[in-house]
Amino acid sequence: MTAAATAFAVPSVLVFFTSATLIVVGATGVISLKNPVHAALSLIMTLFGVAVAFVAQSADFLAAVQIIVYAGAIVVLFLFVIMFLGVDRREQVSVEPLVGQRAFAAAGVVITVAGLITLMARSHWVTGAMSVSNGGVPIATGQGNVKELGTAVFTTYLFAFEATAALLIIAVVGAVLLARRERTNQGEETGS
Amino acid sequence: MSWLASVDPLFAHGVTWVVLLIVAIKVIAGFSMLMGGVILMIWFERKAISDMQSRIGPQRWGPFGLLQTLADGIKLILKEDLIPAEADRFVFKLAPYLVLLPALVTFAIIPIGGTLTIAGHPVMLQVVNPPMGILLMLAMSGISVYGVMLAGWASGSKYPLLSAVRASAQMISYEAALGMTIVTIVLATGSLSVHNIVAAQAGGIWHWNIIRLGFVPFAVFVIAITAELNRPPFDVVEAESELVGGFHTEYSSFRFAIFFLAEYMNTITMSAIIVTLFLGGPAGWIPNVSHLRWVFPIAWFLVKTVGFAFCYIWFRASLPRFRYDQLMDLGWKRLIPLSLGWMLIVAGFLVAKGWGFMMAAAVLLAWTVLSRAFDLGQTRESGVDAVLPVVGERPLPGQVLRSMTDEEEG
């Protein structure tokens, strides 16, 4: 622990508990609330909690992107769909659409949690490194870590980055193709 | 502690009581400036519009009707607070605050002057200078969609719901163009921090981003931000002739006042953001007067911001409202490709001149292909009801029937 890390020990613990509470309460709300709009609101709360946790780790850029992309765009689209389809009422959860779905879900949860715990116990679970902290000192200081992030994305992780970009474009083209299907009354294709 | 100091030089000598006091004063001053600004802005808008329409406007309360907004506020607070029977009560009460919060937070990152020295501490005239900088503004404009959307949905009434759907689509569409122009500025500055963006524009009008980046990002930004604000001519969200009052039709009393307050706060904040990003913020000519040099940056900033606020009023008084499909066309087919292409050209010129011209050629080529694609898409022949034509050009049911029977004969 360096001097900087010790001096902010109490505030950082407070920040951690605040963000943890936001995340856990929000996540519980997402799965327990009956009304889809309320569930989406809880999801926003979780996303904010994660953003606070990112800021506490000096990952300001990630925090901003978390809010702009997830809270600012993706959940808005969820709500958009919920409003358009009019599914804003309590859902019937007693029927099982697919037979045996619940058992499979339970097995999946057990496997995922076990895997996560194993990974966290053995190493840092994303990069495989034992620790991300640079001896208690933030890797990038002050003006954010956009430069480091950009360099990493466009050199080390270029392939993954481009693959993700291609995937997103394919999804968009596919969605447009499905939505703008040629509908003809006589079953014949006219035009190009 | 060193990283705190690199965020704001105020913290260079540790966080003492004096520093905390300065921070508290900055927060309160920023808040009261915004509140006072809203009162003046509403009065200014009503007066300016009434002048443009040859009316007198507010004149009864205070000199020149200056206290009209206060009177309106008191009236609204004393009114009965109604919640519709069909409303989702929790979300209905939450929504106004979701509109107000982003409006307040965004103003915090705007530098309204230079740096002062108070009690030996350097004080930036900016409530906060976060490392994520201008991204905070994008994040907050993303969040402000929720207030509008949820207010419309929670009202449990059809016109607010339509308004909510329009708001969500419109604000997301224009956010893309907004983000792209901000990327252009960040590329040219080399920093996300608002303080550095302003500092990079110091040293004369030729260094301001409006001129340095070419006029295009500025134009795109102003259009996109007007759409984000839901102000005329992009106010389809609260189009009176179609949707009664839009998302706040069912609101009354103080909750309605909060919506009104937030809208004007956003107008002021966004004028200030435009000034900060493109017009050098507090930059301007400073006469050589001792002890009063710090006043001039603030004055320049205020003059520029009021100028932009006037432009918004002017837009409202003179431009007719866009139709919803025109709004979407402008956002997706014009502004997003334009801002993306311009960003690539600016990035190319930042690397080297040769790259810049190559990028320009590539963007020109892409523009030609894209406009050809739009052309093909619009004139494409397909099934009778494949894509609905534009509202004004839609054939009448009789004509559709005739075309179908004619086709079978031929």
Side-chain angles (χ1 to χ4, degrees):
Chain A
M1 288 285 252
T2 60
T6 353
F8 288 95
V10 175
S12 61
V13 165
L14 279 178
V15 169
F16 172 76
F17 277 108
T18 314
S19 72
T21 316
L22 281 176
I23 294 169
V24 172
V25 171
T28 320
V30 174
I31 50 174
S32 63
L33 288 170
K34 293 278 190 334
N35 188 325
V37 173
H38 292 173
L41 276 176
S42 305
L43 185 58
I44 300 165
M45 195 163 121
T46 306
L47 295 172
F48 262 91
V50 174
V52 172
F54 275 142
V55 172
Q57 303 288 316
S58 319
D60 296 280
F61 182 73
L62 278 185
V65 169
Q66 167 92 5
I67 299 296
I68 295 169
V69 175
Y70 286 93
I74 290 180
V75 183
V76 172
L77 288 180
F78 284 178
L79 283 172
F80 189 74
V81 172
I82 291 170
M83 287 173 183
F84 246 135
L85 299 185
V87 288
D88 52 340
R89 60 186 79 91
R90 283 161 199 282
E91 242 178 301
Q92 187 63 260
V93 283
S94 58
V95 281
E96 218 174 349
L98 296 170
V99 182
Q101 191 185 22
R102 301 256 159 86
F104 273 114
V109 166
V110 170
I111 291 170
T112 313
V113 171
L116 277 179
I117 289 174
T118 322
L119 276 173
M120 276 193 279
R122 293 172 62 92
S123 62
H124 183 255
W125 70 287
V126 178
T127 57
M130 284 306 286
S131 165
V132 282
S133 64
N134 187 18
V137 182
I139 298 166
T141 52
Q143 294 309 326
N145 39 19
V146 186
K147 198 172 178 183
E148 281 80 359
L149 200 68
T151 315
V153 163
F154 285 106
T155 53
T156 323
Y157 303 107
L158 183 65
F159 183 70
F161 180 75
E162 294 292 343
T164 317
L167 193 70
L168 287 173
I169 290 288
I170 290 166
V172 170
V173 171
V176 170
L177 205 66
L178 286 174
R180 279 193 67 127
R181 192 174 45 201
E182 309 267 326
R183 281 183 288 132
T184 46
N185 283 4
Q186 290 86 17
E188 54 177 339
E189 287 284 330
T190 43
S192 52
Chain B
M1 198 120 342
S2 60
W3 67 271
L4 251 183
S6 63
V7 175
D8 192 336
L10 182 62
F11 302 118
H13 308 293
V15 184
T16 56
W17 285 111
V18 180
V19 172
L20 284 182
L21 189 70
I22 293 175
V23 171
I25 290 174
K26 279 209 288 190
V27 171
I28 293 169
F31 180 76
S32 29
M33 245 186 89
L34 196 54
M35 283 296 179
V38 167
I39 289 179
L40 291 178
M41 176 74 194
I42 294 175
W43 170 83
F44 183 45
E45 169 146 12
R46 293 180 69 170
K47 267 294 188 199
I49 282 203
S50 57
D51 276 356
M52 287 176 193
Q53 297 171 343
S54 302
R55 294 186 284 114
I56 295 170
Q59 52 154 340
R60 295 280 155 172
W61 288 99
F64 311 108
L66 263 170
L67 298 180
Q68 180 65 42
T69 316
L70 274 182
D72 282 346
I74 292 167
K75 183 200 77 174
L76 276 172
I77 290 168
L78 293 177
K79 274 192 162 183
E80 188 186 356
D81 184 22
L82 293 169
I83 297 182
E86 287 291 306
D88 184 320
R89 294 181 74 91
F90 175 69
V91 181
F92 187 82
K93 287 179 182 169
L94 179 73
Y97 302 103
L98 285 181
V99 179
L100 187 68
L101 191 82
L104 278 172
V105 171
T106 315
F107 191 73
I109 62 166
I110 295 165
I112 57 166
T115 306
L116 293 183
T117 308
I118 298 172
H121 294 284
V123 179
M124 287 197 267
L125 289 181
Q126 180 183 12
V127 175
V128 67
N129 182 32
M132 67 175 84
I134 193 65
L135 291 180
L136 191 80
M137 177 233 147
L138 269 186
M140 285 306 131
S141 78
I143 294 307
S144 61
V145 187
Y146 285 109
V148 176
M149 254 184 116
L150 292 170
W153 173 79
S155 297
S157 158
K158 66 183 163 191
Y159 292 121
L161 183 65
L162 284 173
S163 166
V165 170
R166 284 182 176 192
S168 52
Q170 176 186 339
M171 285 163 126
I172 286 194
S173 310
Y174 280 83
E175 215 156 88
L178 205 64
M180 220 73 84
T181 38
I182 288 179
V183 168
T184 317
I185 294 165
V186 170
L187 276 179
T189 311
S191 168
L192 287 174
S193 151
V194 185
H195 181 77
N196 293 355
I197 289 175
V198 169
Q201 298 178 67
I205 199 166
W206 299 107
H207 294 271
W208 291 3
N209 278 334
I210 180 175
I211 292 176
R212 196 165 54 143
L213 299 177
F215 189 69
V216 175
F218 172 73
V220 172
F221 194 84
V222 172
I223 295 172
I225 216 128
T226 315
E228 282 285 310
L229 285 171
N230 296 325
R231 272 192 71 91
F234 298 103
D235 62 339
V236 291
V237 169
E238 36 195 295
E240 296 88 356
S241 52
E242 302 156 24
L243 297 176
V244 193
F247 63 93
H248 52 55
T249 305
E250 304 289 350
Y251 280 86
S252 59
S253 185
F254 193 55
R255 292 186 223 287
F256 176 76
I258 292 180
F259 278 119
F260 207 68
L261 192 70
E263 192 184 324
Y264 280 89
M265 268 186 197
N266 273 326
T267 310
I268 295 174
T269 309
M270 291 311 168
S271 307
I273 289 268
I274 293 172
V275 168
T276 306
L277 292 183
F278 288 99
L279 299 178
W285 174 76
I286 300 173
N288 202 1
V289 197
S290 55
H291 298 304
L292 279 175
R293 290 177 68 84
W294 62 277
V295 176
F296 285 92
I298 302 176
W300 277 114
F301 174 80
L302 288 179
V303 166
K304 290 176 197 171
T305 308
V306 169
F308 257 98
F310 179 72
C311 283
Y312 279 122
I313 297 168
W314 203 356
F315 288 165
R316 178 174 161 186
S318 52
L319 294 173
R321 183 180 298 135
F322 272 70
R323 212 170 51 210
Y324 190 65
D325 59 323
Q326 293 172 330
L327 186 92
M328 283 294 154
D329 271 5
L330 180 69
W332 288 99
K333 293 183 181 169
R334 307 273 187 275
L335 292 188
I336 292 179
L338 185 63
S339 52
L340 179 65
W342 202 267
M343 185 199 83
L344 290 175
I345 295 173
V346 167
F349 273 109
L350 283 174
V351 176
K353 257 205 174 119
W355 278 103
F357 286 118
M358 259 168 74
M359 275 297 174
V363 166
L364 207 65
L365 187 71
W367 184 262
T368 327
V369 172
L370 199 64
S371 44
R372 179 82 188 116
F374 287 154
D375 217 35
L376 278 178
Q378 262 167 1
T379 56
R380 184 175 57 169
E381 298 253 332
S382 56
V384 181
D385 57 349
V387 182
L388 281 179
V390 180
V391 180
E393 298 159 13
R394 204 171 280 174
L396 296 167
Q399 290 170 322
V400 175
L401 263 180
R402 194 170 299 134
S403 77
M404 282 166 76
T405 46
D406 285 355
E407 235 170 79
E408 264 169 18
E409 281 169 6

